[in-house]
Amino acid sequence: MSLKAQDIQQKESLITIIEKLQSTFDCNFSYIDKDIKKVFLIPPKKDLTLTETVAYLQKATDLSFTMLGNKFITITRFAKPSYSICGYLLDASTNEVISGAVIQTKNSSIISDEKGYFKLENVHDHDLVSFRHISYNIYTDEAQNYNHKDCDVIYLDSKTENLAEVVLTNYLTNGINKIIDGSIHINYRNFGQVPGLIETDVLQTIQALSGFQSIDETVSNINVRGGTHDQNLIMWDGIKMYQSGHFFGLISALNPRITKRVTLIKNGTTAKYTDGVSGTIDMQTDKKVNKDFKAEAGVNFINADVFLDLPVNDKSSVQLAARKSINRWINTPTYAQYFDRAFQNTDVVNSTSSTNSSEENFDFYDVSMRWIYAFSERDKIGLNALYLNNSLSISENAFGGGLSASRKSTLNQQNAAAGINYNHKWSKHFSSEALLSGTKYDVDAVNFDIINEQILTQKNNIEEVGFELNNSLMYNDLLVFKAGYHFKHTSAVNVDKINYPVVDNYDKNEVQSHSISSEINFTSEDFNTHVNLGGRLNYLSTFNKFLIEPRLSINQKINDKITVEILGEFKHQSTTLRSSNENFLGIDSRRWFVSNNQNIPIIQSKQISTGINYKYRNLLIDTEVYYKTVNGITSESQVFRNQYENQLTSGSYDVKGFDFLINNTFGKVNAWIAYSLAKNQYKFNSLNPHRFPSNYDIRHTLSMAGSVNVNSFKFSSGLNWRSGKPTTPILENAPLNTLTYGDPNSENLHDYLRLDASMIYHFNISKKVRAEVGLAVLNLMNKKNVIDQYYVLNEKGEPNKIQQYSLGITPNFSLRFYF
């Protein structure tokens, strides 16, 4: 039954009406939930008898109401003629045919032949069609979603590649699901909408989830359960990425067009992953060989992009994606807001009575490639590569006494990465995957100080080479063994040079590690109990040090509505971002370092959590309490802007928290509320006081949002609120040329509040071309949020308060074509 958006307020769901009638007339209705859950109508008048009420419902709906006696009513759909569906079953990874699969409904069944072909008879619209094969995950969908006239191609995922079982579907919106191991999967093939976004930006999307946030609105500062950004493992097709943002963190650097699936992990990490003591963000490209040409081209107020999916032959295809900023050709209001936000309080925009900057030129671009070749039924090889670049140049000018001078300062940031992977299926139950990868991150800056005739040259470089071999043995449908070997070599270089007085600082550190992982996945015969138990043995050969890391994920089904989970993990990492006194043009003071096991310790974490998942009809509730402790952090990695700014010491932090999410669907409307409560405390034994609130101690975080689909339109809006960031006050009446601070992080900035909205409209241009128009507004109320605050001494030696503000009202528009 269809309804118009404007009628929703006048109508009620049939389920609600039935519940009221059962109470009023002391009667019982018998029905199947799926038959009536999407039916809305104007409630019957209260003065009608039960017989008159049933007659009204019969007339107002497309359903059949049958009274059995005086108090019992059955509801069924009117019978429709049966039909047949046919298709071909293929392996999602290799495109090989799948024979011997059972395709069935409640009334009929068939087995796919040697060509993967099947034809299922006596099918009705609402029949559930299941596809079952011992080597593949069960796939189920309603018959009405299949093509009744032509034979569809249906892809099944191999169990040895993907054992994931969904616990909560449409966790936030379409395409986001919670998996039985506690992780969250995002599938951008069928993605809904998040307020304020018109692009499928991964690192912006995840900030709508409880436990994920950015304390400064950037994707280069994602905080997972109170951790810093460098404590996140961000991967693209198994390759670790050290640059996550374009526009110095305001949009994701990983092209959203080529990223199809994302796995988010806050705890209970599978044993094959290392690094990321706070969280894991694993982005994956499409693993299927595409046999049809596909293309996309789009533009918004920040950048233009193109995406190509090109079949090479029946066994191979290649994907290409490219994106570039458009500000060299047109200045948009969105670019202006992003520029002001990214470069406020930096050398790019600051000026004095004798200096200023001009001719600001900023540009970013990225290119990505993915090639796969399934050269046999058992073997597949893939190649992935990408290159990311941000570049900025400004003219720094000095004037006075009738004279003037100008010099150009530059900043270049880039990340290149590549990987080659090979999959081999030894049998239907045993498979291996090997990956050889490398990544290189560079920041180069030249800063001219014309007044002092100084030239500051800075460089931060990190290079990493890795190899891993992962094996999976499916003993049976209930028991899977996994084991792997992992090698990694990481080096980091930091350079600071000044021409006068001469400074030439060069620092290089390296870390090499060998690891073995092992894991067992167990499922009980009634499918109510799922256990993933594993561990890693890491040998850091650089320091002759062993680290043992257990991993645990337990999911227990209590009944059809409730499941309980327990997650735990030990993790470590040997890379960190540290603040430097000499920053890159005032834009970012953080640089990548690797551990030397001395003043830069190995970071180690322990975390335990437990949660309850509830799902009934369209209502979804997810709750989780956790405790996490992280040791080996340095004061430089926390970017202090108070009395500890120049302190060099190491310590720890611990977080106790609660994550909550509730989601419900009302007809075509989807609404959710996500809330996080956390207490985050530092412990530095060499500082006084030893314990004090973390810079990332955001006690309360709340997001509320809703979306509605009406025909070809998608609308969404949402409110984001959180308590203010901790800050350190200064004491009044302090001596000149001195900043005297109070207790560290003893005060908080004002609460943060932002309202976002977005709209997307799809339409067809021709049979082979469709288009999409999007409009989004960030900070619709134009609220001036202070996201950071610190003090410096002015020219008179007096304290000067510096405040960093959030984005103002920021519109964005997009136009995209699909071929």
Side-chain angles (χ1 to χ4, degrees):
M1 179 178 179
S2 63
L3 67 155
K4 296 181 180 179
Q6 61 264 33
D7 292 336
I8 293 178
Q9 296 299 323
Q10 303 173 4
K11 298 181 179 182
E12 292 184 10
S13 71
L14 180 55
I15 291 176
T16 301
I17 293 172
I18 287 172
E19 290 173 349
K20 293 179 180 178
L21 293 177
Q22 290 180 148
S23 175
T24 302
F25 294 105
D26 189 25
C27 61
N28 287 299
F29 286 81
S30 175
Y31 54 88
I32 299 174
D33 284 354
K34 67 179 181 180
D35 286 344
I36 71 171
K37 68 178 181 180
K38 294 183 179 179
V39 178
F40 289 78
L41 69 155
I42 297 173
K45 295 180 180 179
K46 296 182 179 180
D47 57 355
L48 298 179
T49 65
L50 176 60
T51 302
E52 291 171 336
T53 299
V54 171
Y56 168 80
L57 296 177
Q58 176 85 55
K59 184 178 180 180
T61 66
D62 295 328
L63 300 169
S64 173
F65 290 78
T66 304
M67 293 192 67
L68 305 176
N70 296 325
K71 296 290 186 179
F72 195 84
I73 304 99
T74 63
I75 306 174
T76 58
R77 287 191 174 271
F78 286 112
K80 293 184 179 181
S82 65
Y83 50 83
S84 64
I85 59 173
C86 63
Y88 294 87
L89 295 183
L90 298 182
D91 187 297
S93 298
T94 66
N95 267 7
E96 298 296 330
V97 300
I98 302 174
S99 61
V102 178
I103 304 96
Q104 65 181 35
T105 67
K106 62 181 180 180
N107 299 316
S108 59
S109 64
I110 194 73
I111 296 176
S112 60
D113 64 18
E114 67 277 2
K115 295 181 180 180
Y117 175 79
F118 70 91
K119 185 175 182 180
L120 192 62
E121 305 282 356
N122 192 25
V123 177
H124 298 83
D125 275 354
H126 293 281
D127 284 347
L128 289 177
V129 184
S130 296
F131 299 81
R132 299 173 182 269
H133 191 285
I134 189 172
S135 299
Y136 294 87
N137 291 319
I138 298 172
Y139 178 69
T140 304
D141 202 355
E142 285 191 346
Q144 63 183 346
N145 295 327
Y146 296 98
N147 190 334
H148 304 160
K149 297 180 180 180
D150 300 315
C151 294
D152 282 329
V153 175
I154 297 164
Y155 295 95
L156 300 184
D157 292 315
S158 170
K159 283 186 176 180
T160 55
E161 293 184 357
N162 180 19
L163 283 167
E165 181 177 331
V166 175
V167 175
L168 299 173
T169 59
N170 298 335
Y171 185 69
L172 197 70
T173 186
N174 289 343
I176 303 181
N177 299 318
K178 185 169 184 180
I179 308 303
I180 206 159
D181 62 3
S183 64
I184 296 170
H185 284 199
I186 303 176
N187 186 340
Y188 282 109
R189 288 177 178 169
N190 181 32
F191 191 67
Q193 195 175 10
V194 175
L197 297 183
I198 47 178
E199 300 282 356
T200 53
D201 189 313
V202 175
L203 299 181
Q204 295 284 3
T205 300
I206 65 176
Q207 295 178 46
L209 299 166
S210 56
F212 294 86
Q213 64 174 301
S214 174
I215 203 168
D216 62 3
E217 295 185 325
T218 69
V219 298
S220 58
N221 199 3
I222 299 291
N223 315 117
V224 181
R225 287 182 170 173
T228 52
H229 182 74
D230 58 324
Q231 293 171 8
N232 301 323
L233 173 61
I234 300 177
M235 294 188 297
W236 182 76
D237 273 347
I239 309 167
K240 182 174 180 179
M241 303 304 301
Y242 286 92
Q243 178 182 343
S244 59
H246 279 318
F247 224 133
F248 299 102
L250 292 177
I251 63 174
S252 174
L254 285 306
N255 195 313
R257 312 323 307 179
I258 203 169
T259 300
K260 298 302 180 184
R261 293 180 295 121
V262 182
T263 300
L264 308 174
I265 305 173
K266 293 184 286 187
N267 191 14
T269 311
T270 181
K272 75 175 184 178
Y273 291 127
T274 186
D275 279 353
V277 297
S278 279
T280 299
I281 304 169
D282 183 7
M283 291 170 273
Q284 295 285 329
T285 58
D286 201 342
K287 302 304 181 187
K288 296 179 181 178
V289 175
N290 179 37
K291 294 186 178 182
D292 299 312
F293 170 79
K294 296 179 183 179
E296 298 177 27
V299 63
N300 58 42
F301 278 175
I302 294 294
N303 58 259
D305 70 89
V306 63
F307 169 75
L308 300 173
D309 195 347
L310 307 169
V312 178
N313 54 43
D314 288 344
K315 296 185 177 182
S316 177
S317 67
V318 62
Q319 291 185 345
L320 301 171
R323 179 173 50 161
K324 182 175 173 58
S325 57
I326 63 172
N327 55 286
R328 289 182 181 246
W329 300 282
I330 182 172
N331 281 322
T332 66
T334 310
Y335 174 81
Q337 285 287 355
Y338 276 37
F339 187 92
D340 292 344
R341 166 63 186 85
F343 301 122
Q344 63 179 299
N345 301 322
T346 70
D347 294 353
V348 179
V349 296
N350 286 345
S351 62
T352 68
S353 58
S354 57
T355 63
N356 67 14
S357 60
S358 62
E359 300 180 12
E360 300 92 353
N361 292 308
F362 173 72
D363 180 55
F364 72 81
Y365 66 90
D366 59 70
V367 290
S368 310
M369 184 274 290
R370 183 238 63 185
W371 169 75
I372 54 176
Y373 176 45
F375 53 89
S376 79
E377 202 173 307
R378 297 175 178 268
D379 300 277
K380 182 175 67 174
I381 192 169
L383 176 65
N384 301 78
L386 63 75
Y387 179 74
L388 319 172
N389 181 276
N390 285 262
S391 61
L392 171 70
S393 66
I394 60 172
S395 293
E396 302 211 40
N397 311 307
F399 40 83
L403 300 176
S404 63
S406 181
R407 298 289 187 273
K408 181 169 286 189
S409 295
T410 60
L411 172 61
N412 290 287
Q413 180 187 42
Q414 57 239 337
N415 198 155
I420 183 169
N421 61 80
Y422 172 67
N423 281 272
H424 179 71
K425 291 185 177 180
W426 304 93
S427 68
K428 290 184 178 180
H429 307 292
F430 182 50
S431 66
S432 298
E433 179 180 6
L435 171 65
L436 177 64
S437 64
T439 185
K440 182 181 181 182
Y441 170 81
D442 283 293
V443 177
D444 297 283
V446 178
N447 191 0
F448 281 90
D449 182 347
I450 302 179
I451 297 296
N452 297 310
E453 297 183 347
Q454 280 187 337
I455 304 174
L456 171 61
T457 302
Q458 300 168 281
K459 181 180 180 67
N460 180 212
N461 164 269
I462 191 162
E463 297 181 6
E464 186 168 286
V465 176
F467 171 79
E468 60 183 74
L469 175 64
N470 294 301
N471 302 288
S472 178
L473 173 63
M474 187 174 66
Y475 183 75
N476 55 40
D477 283 344
L478 305 177
L479 195 61
V480 178
F481 299 96
K482 296 181 180 180
Y485 165 76
H486 309 264
F487 166 81
K488 185 173 65 173
H489 181 275
T490 310
S491 65
V493 173
N494 281 277
V495 175
D496 289 289
K497 292 183 179 181
I498 301 177
N499 62 327
Y500 182 80
V502 176
V503 174
D504 190 354
N505 293 330
Y506 177 90
D507 177 81
K508 181 177 181 179
N509 284 312
E510 298 177 310
V511 172
Q512 183 169 288
S513 65
H514 302 264
S515 305
I516 56 174
S517 64
S518 181
E519 187 172 274
I520 181 172
N521 305 147
F522 167 77
T523 303
S524 62
E525 290 187 2
D526 58 6
F527 293 96
N528 288 333
T529 304
H530 297 263
V531 178
N532 293 351
L533 179 63
R536 288 179 66 91
L537 175 62
N538 307 284
Y539 174 59
L540 281 65
S541 56
T542 308
F543 312 125
N544 193 26
K545 187 181 182 74
F546 285 92
L547 295 173
I548 299 175
E549 298 174 342
R551 310 286 173 84
L552 173 67
S553 169
I554 300 175
N555 185 286
Q556 178 64 49
K557 187 175 182 180
I558 305 300
N559 53 41
D560 289 340
K561 302 180 182 68
I562 299 174
T563 60
V564 177
E565 66 181 21
I566 299 174
L567 306 173
E569 65 179 24
F570 284 30
K571 296 182 77 176
H572 86 283
Q573 67 180 65
S574 54
T575 54
T576 184
L577 281 169
R578 303 175 73 202
S579 180
S580 169
N581 289 330
E582 300 293 346
N583 53 44
F584 299 113
L585 297 180
I587 297 170
D588 196 347
S589 64
R590 298 175 302 169
R591 305 187 190 186
W592 283 104
F593 287 80
V594 298
S595 173
N596 57 17
N597 207 29
Q598 296 174 1
N599 65 314
I600 309 177
I602 298 167
I603 303 174
Q604 296 179 261
S605 70
K606 300 175 183 177
Q607 186 176 184
I608 185 72
S609 64
T610 183
I612 299 175
N613 307 304
Y614 176 85
K615 180 69 186 289
Y616 179 62
R617 293 179 178 167
N618 295 325
L619 176 64
L620 176 157
I621 300 175
D622 182 30
T623 64
E624 191 172 3
V625 293
Y626 63 90
Y627 173 75
K628 179 175 73 172
T629 179
V630 179
N631 293 285
I633 65 170
T634 63
S635 52
E636 300 96 317
S637 70
Q638 303 304 298
V639 195
F640 285 114
R641 295 281 186 110
N642 54 21
Q643 59 265 51
Y644 303 140
E645 184 171 1
N646 297 313
Q647 295 290 321
L648 306 178
T649 187
S650 62
S652 64
Y653 72 88
D654 57 76
V655 189
K656 303 168 186 174
F658 168 70
D659 290 339
F660 171 83
L661 184 140
I662 182 170
N663 175 281
N664 206 349
T665 302
F666 313 91
K668 295 184 179 182
V669 178
N670 180 51
W672 71 83
I673 299 174
Y675 171 73
S676 292
L677 169 67
K679 183 178 181 181
N680 192 344
Q681 294 277 307
Y682 285 135
K683 183 179 181 181
F684 289 97
N685 290 328
S686 62
L687 301 180
N688 186 23
H690 302 322
R691 293 186 64 86
F692 54 94
S694 164
N695 294 339
Y696 304 91
D697 181 31
I698 306 299
R699 290 293 169 91
H700 305 279
T701 304
L702 176 72
S703 66
M704 299 184 294
S707 63
V708 59
N709 295 346
V710 181
N711 298 324
S712 297
F713 286 91
K714 291 181 180 180
F715 301 93
S716 68
S717 63
L719 189 71
N720 296 293
W721 171 86
R722 65 172 181 259
S723 50
K725 179 180 183 289
T727 185
T728 302
I730 60 170
L731 303 181
E732 298 181 359
N733 302 319
L736 284 177
N737 297 310
T738 303
L739 291 174
T740 305
Y741 291 96
D743 291 337
N745 291 342
S746 57
E747 295 183 358
N748 292 82
L749 302 177
H750 291 300
D751 292 354
Y752 176 96
L753 182 66
R754 194 179 84 188
L755 176 65
D756 303 329
S758 56
M759 179 275 291
I760 295 176
Y761 174 63
H762 301 269
F763 58 97
N764 294 323
I765 297 177
S766 68
K767 290 183 178 180
K768 294 185 177 181
V769 181
R770 62 185 178 91
E772 175 184 288
V773 176
L775 177 65
V777 182
L778 296 174
N779 197 1
L780 195 60
M781 299 185 298
N782 200 27
K783 189 167 189 313
K784 198 172 184 179
N785 293 298
V786 179
I787 56 177
D788 197 13
Q789 176 178 293
Y790 57 95
Y791 296 88
V792 297
L793 294 173
N794 61 21
E795 296 176 353
K796 297 179 181 180
E798 301 169 336
N800 183 31
K801 182 193 294 184
I802 306 295
Q803 292 185 322
Q804 185 110 3
Y805 294 98
S806 65
L807 276 170
I809 183 170
T810 307
N812 198 3
F813 171 84
S814 70
L815 176 62
R816 178 165 296 279
F817 298 95
Y818 299 85
F819 305 92

